[in-house]
Amino acid sequence: MSDLGKLRRELEDLLGADGVISDPVQLRTYECDGLAGYRVTPSLVVLPTTSEQVAESVAAAHRAGVPFVARGAGTGLSGGALPVAEGIVIGLQRMRAILEIDPVNRRAVVEPGVTNLAISKAAAPYDLYYAPDPSSQQVCTIGGNVAENSGGAHCLKYGFTTNHVLAMEVVLPDGTRTWLGGPSPEVAGPDLRGVVIGSEGTVALVTKVVVRLLRKPESVRTLLADFPSIEQAGDTVTDVIGAGIVPAAMEIMDQLAIEASEAAVGAGYTLDTPAALVVELDGPNEECALLFDAVREICQRNGTTKIRVAADDAERLMIWTGRKAAFAAVGRISPDYFVQDGVVPRTRLAEALSRIGAMGRAAGIRVANVFHAGDGNLHPLVLYSEEAGEHGRAEKLSKEIAELCVELGGSLSGEHGIGTDKACSMPTMFTEDDLATMDKVRRAFDPENLCNPGKLLPTPRLCGERPGKYRPHPLEQAGVIDRL
Ligand SMILES: Cc1cc2nc3c(=O)[nH]c(=O)nc-3n(C[C@H](O)[C@H](O)[C@H](O)COP(=O)(O)OP(=O)(O)OC[C@H]3O[C@@H](n4cnc5c(N)ncnc54)[C@H](O)[C@@H]3O)c2cc1C
């Protein structure tokens, strides 16, 4: 029996038959994440329900020398959960218990498959919430958020996942279970919790998370302002921050992104405006009211053509639904798309956007923009049609946009991670010594290179022959063989 056959028997004994997927058709459910242009079918998928089962599954894979990839909800946009063909996927979605809400210490202890939004829902009766809010929050898991150090619209004021995770139980790549961090923010010794956050599943599997909860603000005020140009919306963002105001969120959408979002959810954005800016302020009532007036004035000074102020919670929610639906809604105006995730210094936003526009025109590819403007975190949506043979051109443009952000003094990723997508661009941002140091850290946890190999750091194999979009085999095209 092959190593994989032996491992499968061992895992079935451990998890029961319904905890192991080996049927070729069912395995295809796991062949990609949100970066659907890249697909690899894994050999096995296991669905543990406890930390012990995760540890035993990892230990068994480690003994067999078989690579393993953790998966939460598979909403990642950089191919972080892309399987390894000869490896297993460890799906953590069955581990979705909220183990404890501690309102006095403002903490929650949750399993890794709990969705981001479920934490806030569970904390709501205590007037508390979990601050990082990816637009995918209804489905993405806290385990995936930790692995990606995920952000969201409100991270401008409140910080990213790393600022809200106190401790976690992890399974190391040899199957050892341990805790990193502690119940209070200050822990002696090196911050190994920080090493795992943002490591994209390459150093450990997260099996429990202790998150910080925040008190809901006394007041929240939201406006949606239209602008005659994206540059004017961008200048407004710079002026708001320049005035010493730190809004909870500042988001920009361009006309294409608005068109897609309106087609999907009809939140009432103006269809023919070149740019819309959402600004949300929160805090004590008086402070919030004062600063809100100041923001309105700054919008007017920058030539806003229309300001809509959310009259109540329902309207506020509607404005956010429009913004948060934008990525997924792009499917309405384009059959395929890449979501890019670069960061530029805020002062270079206008320059970045106009260069991206020019690059898109030169490539004959439409680019929609929706972004966390306050952070300088761009999300150009590169729209293409696989059927029309545009995949290669769109992929090239997407890569060039990410590398442009580095050239402008920014970063390859603001929150979606490097994954498979941008591993080969890492040398544009880091020196060989930097990359070797990162590799040493990773190898300290995973000397055998079994834990999500080929992600985050460039490897000659990965950069030479990237796992690409599925292309039919000539025999399949000739009707001799079928794809299961
Ligand atoms: C419509 C849409 C909107 C989005 N908006 C945002 C946004 O606003 N902000 C943002 O930051 N992201 C956003 N994302 C990206 C994505 O939702 C996040 O990266 C999210 O954290 C992924 O969570 P997941 O559970 O789906 O993880 P997956 O996609 O399953 O996995 C992501 C990575 O985490 C690793 N991983 C998963 N679970 C674990 C675990 N328990 N232990 C160790 N490693 C693990 C995987 O190996 C992989 O490398 C969006 C995605 C979509 C589709």
Side-chain angles (χ1 to χ4, degrees):
M1 198 183 292
S2 70
D3 277 354
L4 257 167
K6 222 169 101 195
L7 178 62
R8 175 181 155 190
R9 291 284 299 278
E10 205 179 328
L11 292 169
E12 278 172 352
D13 287 346
L14 187 68
L15 304 174
D18 91 317
V20 180
I21 297 175
S22 55
D23 172 72
V25 176
Q26 287 182 34
L27 285 175
R28 287 192 54 201
T29 305
Y30 296 86
E31 69 184 0
C32 68
D33 59 9
L35 186 73
Y38 302 114
R39 292 164 195 258
V40 174
T41 309
S43 292
L44 284 179
V45 173
V46 296
L47 302 169
T49 53
T50 63
S51 302
E52 291 80 1
Q53 285 186 350
V54 176
E56 288 175 47
S57 304
V58 169
H62 180 257
R63 278 194 302 276
V66 169
F68 46 89
V69 177
R71 179 183 169 106
T75 66
L77 291 169
S78 56
L82 186 78
V84 176
E86 63 284 6
I88 66 173
V89 166
I90 304 185
L92 295 148
Q93 260 190 311
R94 286 189 178 173
M95 293 174 63
R96 43 173 183 252
I98 294 187
L99 301 169
E100 186 188 349
I101 300 277
D102 173 355
V104 179
N105 290 301
R106 296 191 189 170
R107 290 192 295 248
V109 185
V110 302
E111 288 189 330
V114 168
T115 64
N116 173 293
L117 194 61
I119 303 176
S120 287
K121 280 189 177 162
Y126 307 97
D127 224 18
L128 299 172
Y129 77 110
Y130 178 66
D133 60 339
S135 299
S136 53
Q137 66 186 145
Q138 292 193 19
V139 275
C140 68
T141 69
I142 188 72
N145 291 179
V146 169
E148 298 289 1
N149 188 21
S150 292
H154 291 82
C155 292
L156 170 64
K157 180 168 176 181
Y158 292 102
F160 283 62
T161 302
T162 190
N163 304 110
H164 299 270
V165 169
L166 294 166
M168 62 188 111
E169 181 196 60
V170 295
V171 169
L172 300 176
D174 65 356
T176 310
R177 226 160 25 112
T178 187
W179 276 88
L180 304 175
S184 59
E186 298 306 324
V187 186
D191 182 12
L192 295 178
R193 176 207 61 101
V195 174
V196 172
I197 299 173
S199 64
E200 303 187 20
T202 62
V203 298
L205 275 71
V206 177
T207 47
K208 284 192 188 82
V209 192
V210 183
V211 297
R212 192 198 295 269
L213 299 174
L214 300 187
R215 171 78 58 206
K216 282 189 191 165
E218 194 178 16
S219 184
V220 183
R221 304 211 57 194
T222 308
L223 65 76
L224 174 64
D226 295 344
F227 287 91
S229 74
I230 205 148
E231 286 78 11
Q232 280 162 286
D235 288 345
T236 307
V237 170
T238 309
D239 289 355
V240 168
I241 302 275
I245 302 169
V246 183
M250 274 199 288
E251 304 279 304
I252 294 181
M253 286 165 76
D254 73 4
Q255 195 168 358
L256 259 182
I258 293 170
E259 186 188 322
S261 163
E262 279 300 301
V265 295
Y269 282 65
T270 312
L271 271 176
D272 58 0
T273 185
L277 169 69
V278 178
V279 185
E280 184 158 285
L281 295 172
D282 66 10
N285 290 337
E286 274 180 37
E287 179 190 303
C288 207
L290 211 66
L291 296 182
F292 198 71
D293 289 342
V295 168
R296 252 202 278 213
E297 249 175 60
I298 294 171
C299 288
Q300 266 143 6
R301 266 211 311 273
N302 281 290
T304 181
T305 48
K306 179 175 157 194
I307 293 186
R308 171 178 161 198
V309 176
D312 51 26
D313 273 356
E315 191 173 3
R316 193 173 77 78
L317 199 69
M318 197 35 118
I319 291 175
W320 279 114
T321 303
R323 159 61 186 89
K324 294 202 172 188
F327 287 2
V330 162
R332 303 254 172 173
I333 58 166
S334 175
D336 304 288
Y337 62 95
F338 288 109
V339 181
Q340 201 37 276
D341 170 43
V343 184
V344 295
R346 253 192 320 264
T347 46
R348 303 195 79 174
L349 268 173
E351 182 185 357
L353 289 164
S354 83
R355 280 184 64 183
I356 290 168
M359 285 157 76
R361 282 189 295 279
I365 300 261
R366 290 185 304 164
V367 181
N369 286 290
V370 44
F371 52 101
H372 304 311
D375 294 316
N377 185 188
L378 296 165
H379 289 320
L381 298 152
V382 179
L383 315 184
Y384 71 98
S385 161
E386 181 68 31
E387 212 182 319
E390 293 172 348
H391 182 273
R393 260 190 302 144
E395 185 186 31
K396 183 166 174 284
L397 175 63
S398 177
K399 179 173 187 275
E400 284 169 359
I401 289 175
E403 295 183 358
L404 168 73
C405 292
V406 178
E407 185 198 316
L408 294 177
S411 160
L412 286 171
S413 171
E415 51 182 14
H416 297 170
I418 300 296
T420 310
D421 189 29
K422 285 179 282 191
C424 298
S425 295
M426 287 287 271
T428 61
M429 190 166 167
F430 296 102
T431 65
E432 267 184 37
D433 283 349
D434 295 336
L435 293 169
T437 306
M438 289 184 212
D439 192 46
K440 268 189 195 162
V441 173
R442 176 178 179 165
R443 298 286 173 140
F445 284 80
D446 180 27
E448 280 85 9
N449 194 28
L450 293 173
C451 193
N452 210 3
K455 313 293 162 55
L456 181 61
L457 295 177
T459 65
R461 187 203 65 76
L462 179 76
C463 297
E465 35 168 297
R466 266 157 76 106
K469 179 87 182 166
Y470 163 73
R471 286 188 177 78
H473 189 276
L475 287 176
E476 197 184 334
Q477 276 171 327
V480 178
I481 57 168
D482 282 329
R483 185 167 192 248
L484 283 171

